[in-house]
DNA sequence: ATCGGATTTGTGAGCGTTCACATGTTGTGA
DNA sequence: TCACAACATGTGAACGCTCACAAATCCGAT
């Protein structure tokens, strides 16, 4: 690989002048610039980003850390961020923190985060303490639901409002026994499950319908297959229900399959609402009614907050909650 | 951030000794090692990966470049690679080359690729020439279907065999007019569409059933929504068909929705087979019959080939094609 | 001629690490 | 007592780049 020095030698100028040309700095004479550019093309020189980063401290690269990229929610989110960042000339790489504790810590090590100008961290699997340990060496914006150290900028979805919206919709359309699938019977980590379940309770209170705790069914995994099996079991052995609020669309797809397995019709026998507004929801079954969590707003704010830090402003941390919106489709009446 | 020098100063040894401790090199006395480790813990020292990479030339980081991470196929693939690589101590970052030409070139620039020890490049949107331009500065394994410069290691799916398998299955189960949705009427770039369509032709030839060219319908986008609309249109205005071979599962999900829109039953009126064996296929409609493209084998070989290059062996490039397998579910009889 | 100022180019150091090698330190046998 | 390993630690340079600053060049105005 050609280096700055090679280019300098061939074009008969100093290394610094070549650097100035490469970086488009103004103080270079037109003739010199042309000559240098020719040599650059000739030698096929490309800047060594590693060296640049070591010296200059920036890399033009941001990272998005997500638990698992094969969860469609994160895939869609990652694509949104990439699209939002591309026009600004920065670029995004994705890191998976993974399910395992070690993978998570590895992804969060200062050593790794240091490599980026800024990090968007989806804190789903992380505990407060894990995140608290990170000393703000790198501009960091947290994404996700859990309570997190307030010194970090933090954008979360309107989980509670969304749960309320979804459940209210079901109750308003005649449901009386709304299964909260993937909820938490007692508050655990203040995460997604807790908040969406709280929204489910809120809606019941609003509507004056008693919220039967037996209808809150936790899920060991928020996966389609798992949810499907659980729903199938609940139809025969569980409490009676005439609607399901699935904690995620992923779960909702499993619910639809499970209800079909059990011979129940949607929405006639059981109504279903999901959460996330995944692309697949539009095309599954009669169309999944779901809560749009405002990912566009999430991305917009996250980028804004990160930019603010990158610009060196260090105002007090902000905590933004996105607005949610119900998307009505065929799984509700 | 603490540096090697800080640690050295505090623990009263030289920088090199600290480096030796950090890298677990053997030539360090036990007492010294302990002291240094203590200081490291005390100062919270973590190695600067950028500096290490600049000096040592390796980073322990591999990259997987995919067109769009929000396509479930790539999400699942990325997760597989991450899982396969984690035990080996290396780690994987994901880059999106994106739909745009510029994004693609950016992701493929030597400058970017240089930052990694090795690169897995999913060459879906790339032309032969784009890839050919890359001079092997970095160990590179190509993934994907298109014809590529033979000097690169290359793993591709058994596209043609898969198309044949899918179509044969339909023909064997009574279908006579199999729509090839997302196929190519004339060979274009030798990519996925061409190959799977060729498989569709193969199966017809095998079965002695005439392959009506009118049944090959290209798709502007391989997306659920788009495919859905096209199918709906074909039911009323297109050639008669009693089965659909969808070029991807993503398309197949759209097909299922489109057929439902048109009031057709699956598999009674129309049978459907997809390609990719995405997780969602199992739970959509009556369960999507699909071709498993052997992603496990893909990953295994890709990692093996990359490791070979990383080890410095430079034997002749290999081109591996994965074995495919039909997964029978409810959308076929 | 001389000067000040703007413009253009060059110099040396250093980012944090690792490499090749030199030096120091200890123990062992003759 | 000395030579010679074997082990332990240290030295200086270098990776390729950018920073702060110094030096050179050019220009018209005095």
């Amino acid at each position: 690989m050609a280096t700055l020095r090679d280019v300098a030698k061939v074009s008969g100028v100093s290394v610094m002048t070549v650097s100035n040309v490469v970086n488009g700095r103004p103080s270079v004479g037109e003739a010199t610039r042309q000559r240098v550019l020719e040599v650059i093309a000739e030698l096929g020189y490309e800047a060594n980003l590693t060296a640049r980063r070591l010296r200059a401290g920036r890399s033009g690269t941001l990272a998005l850390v997500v638990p698992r990229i094969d969860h469609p929610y994160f895939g869609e989110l990652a694509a949104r961020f990439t699209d939002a960042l591309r026009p600004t000339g920065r670029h995004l790489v994705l890191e998976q923190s993974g399910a395992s504790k070690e993978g998570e810590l590895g992804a969060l090590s200062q050593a790794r985060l240091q490599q980026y100008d800024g990090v968007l961290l989806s804190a789903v699997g992380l505990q407060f303490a894990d995140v608290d340990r990170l000393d703000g060496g790198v501009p960091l914006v947290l994404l996700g639901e859990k309570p997190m150290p307030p010194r970090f900028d933090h954008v979360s979805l309107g989980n509670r409002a969304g749960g309320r919206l979804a459940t209210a919709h079901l109750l308003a359309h005649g449901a009386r026994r709304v299964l909260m699938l993937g909820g938490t019977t007692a508050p655990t980590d203040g995460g997604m499950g807790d908040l969406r379940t709280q929204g489910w309770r809120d809606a019941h209170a609003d509507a004056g319908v008693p919220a039967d705790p037996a209808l809150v069914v936790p899920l060991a995994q928020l996966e389609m297959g798992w949810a499907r099996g659980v729903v199938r079991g609940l139809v025969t052995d569980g409490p009676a229900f005439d609607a399901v609020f699935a904690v995620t669309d992923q779960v909702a797809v499993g619910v639809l399959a499970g209800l079909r397995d059990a011979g129940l019709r949607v929405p006639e026998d059981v109504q279903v609402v999901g959460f996330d507004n995944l692309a697949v929801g539009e095309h599954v079954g009669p169309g999944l009614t779901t809560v749009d969590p405002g990912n566009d707003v999430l991305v917009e704010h996250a980028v804004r907050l990160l930019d603010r830090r990158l610009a060196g402003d260090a105002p007090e941390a902000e905590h933004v909650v996105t607005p949610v919106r119900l998307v009505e489709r065929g799984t509700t009446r």
Side-chain angles (χ1 to χ4, degrees), chain A:
Chain A
M1 292 284 346
T3 85
L4 222 42
R5 234 171 69 187
D6 299 333
V7 177
K9 203 164 294 174
V10 173
S11 46
V13 298
S14 77
V15 169
M16 198 57 224
T17 299
V18 181
S19 171
N20 285 333
V21 171
V22 169
N23 293 76
R25 300 202 187 88
S27 60
V28 178
E30 194 46 35
T32 318
R33 148 169 287 117
Q34 285 310 328
R35 188 150 30 92
V36 169
L37 285 177
E38 271 169 36
V39 176
I40 285 177
E42 180 189 333
L43 299 187
Y45 168 80
E46 292 194 48
N48 180 322
L49 297 179
T50 304
R52 177 179 289 171
R53 175 183 309 167
L54 176 61
R55 175 64 239 224
R58 18 183 186 71
S59 58
T61 304
L62 306 177
L64 170 64
V65 182
V66 298
R68 284 193 71 87
I69 197 62
D70 57 345
H71 188 305
Y73 176 76
F74 293 114
E76 294 188 13
L77 192 66
R80 272 180 196 273
F81 270 116
T82 303
D83 293 342
L85 255 13
R86 191 172 327 263
T88 73
R90 282 131 349 144
H91 101 273
L92 187 72
V93 310
L94 273 37
E95 296 245 5
Q96 294 190 78
S97 54
S100 72
K101 193 72 192 166
E102 57 168 352
E104 202 168 77
L105 290 175
L108 281 183
S109 66
Q110 280 300 338
R112 288 264 282 282
L113 297 186
Q114 236 180 16
Q115 304 185 270
Y116 305 106
D117 289 352
V119 175
L120 299 155
L121 176 58
S122 188
V124 171
L126 306 177
Q127 300 306 319
F128 188 102
D130 298 329
V131 174
D132 201 33
R133 191 174 307 121
L134 302 171
D135 48 359
V138 162
L140 194 65
V141 173
L142 297 174
L143 313 172
E145 346 296 351
K146 294 209 194 142
M148 282 294 156
R151 70 177 193 278
F152 293 111
D153 288 319
H154 188 173
V155 186
S156 40
L157 302 178
N159 285 293
R160 185 162 175 178
R164 187 177 196 159
L165 206 57
T167 311
H169 183 73
L170 290 169
L171 293 174
H173 287 71
R176 276 302 163 269
R177 298 193 47 82
V178 179
L179 190 69
M180 170 74 234
L181 190 63
T184 53
T185 48
T188 54
D189 54 2
M192 187 190 79
D194 287 350
L195 292 167
R196 296 184 185 175
T197 305
Q198 193 54 50
W200 173 87
R201 283 199 204 91
D202 291 346
H204 282 82
D206 293 346
V209 176
D212 181 354
L215 287 171
V216 177
V217 177
L219 239 32
Q221 307 170 50
L222 300 186
E223 280 179 11
M224 296 178 288
W226 186 264
R228 181 180 192 166
V230 169
V231 163
R232 213 161 32 202
L234 287 172
V235 169
T236 54
D237 301 332
F241 60 91
D242 55 10
V244 181
F245 171 34
V247 73
T248 66
D249 276 3
Q250 190 87 324
V251 166
V253 171
V255 168
L256 259 27
L259 292 174
R260 174 199 308 263
D261 293 341
L264 293 172
R265 292 165 308 162
V266 176
E268 293 81 358
D269 302 324
V270 178
Q271 301 185 73
V272 177
V273 176
F275 200 119
D276 280 346
N277 197 17
L278 296 184
V280 73
E282 192 177 344
H283 306 289
V284 85
L288 180 62
T289 295
T290 187
V291 176
D292 183 292
N295 283 321
D296 46 352
V297 178
L298 174 92
V299 167
E300 188 184 302
H301 279 286
V303 170
R304 177 180 61 80
L305 291 170
L306 197 56
D307 278 338
R308 217 177 50 157
R309 299 271 164 202
L310 290 170
D313 304 359
E316 52 188 304
E318 249 182 70
H319 186 166
V320 181
V321 178
T322 65
V324 295
R325 181 175 61 87
L326 194 75
V327 179
E328 290 187 50
R329 298 208 190 93
T331 56
T332 49
R333 293 196 285 266

